[in-house]
Amino acid sequence: TSVTGIDRAGHQFEYFKAAAVDASGQFEDGSQLTGIADLKSRLISQQRQIARNAISQFALYATGGQLRYSDRKQIDKILDACERDGFRTMDLLVEFVISPIFTGNWK
């Protein structure tokens, strides 16, 4: 069904109602996802892995290449340095930029 009206700014709008979204699913380990609350709790419980993925994306964007197996030690150093403050994005980015992965300075 169509819903039309005028918003607070005086603009006309129209949108269509659709079926409810089914937010259920299953994670790779077989555990069930019943909605956004489950997803949030799952993400909170895996902060280090999410931070590791962010570093991987930084590396891909900054260097044009994927991280290598040999980069694991440096990645763990970055993660260890940022863990105390909860893996804040700015901390991850700063640590990545000063790392040999980004600078190429492998002394």
Side-chain angles (χ1 to χ4, degrees), residues 21 32 36 52 62-64 75 102-103:
V21 173
Q32 295 297 313
I36 191 69
R52 183 180 303 276
T63 66
I75 294 166
F102 182 77
T103 64

Side-chain angles (χ1 to χ4, degrees), residues 39-103:
L39 179 60
K40 284 181 179 181
S41 66
R42 180 69 171 235
L43 293 175
I44 287 171
S45 71
Q46 297 183 357
Q47 288 183 7
R48 190 173 179 96
Q49 184 60 37
I50 292 170
R52 183 180 303 276
N53 184 60
I55 294 167
S56 174
Q57 296 304 313
F58 295 159
L60 180 61
Y61 182 77
T63 66
Q66 297 284 341
L67 290 173
R68 299 176 305 242
Y69 183 80
S70 59
D71 295 326
R72 286 182 315 145
K73 187 175 181 180
Q74 288 299 319
I75 294 166
D76 285 336
K77 282 183 180 180
I78 294 169
L79 293 171
D80 291 343
C82 298
E83 187 169 17
R84 182 180 50 123
D85 290 328
F87 302 110
R88 294 184 304 193
T89 304
M90 181 57 81
D91 295 341
L92 291 168
L93 186 57
V94 167
E95 290 295 326
F96 171 74
V97 168
I98 63 175
S99 76
I101 298 170
F102 182 77
T103 64

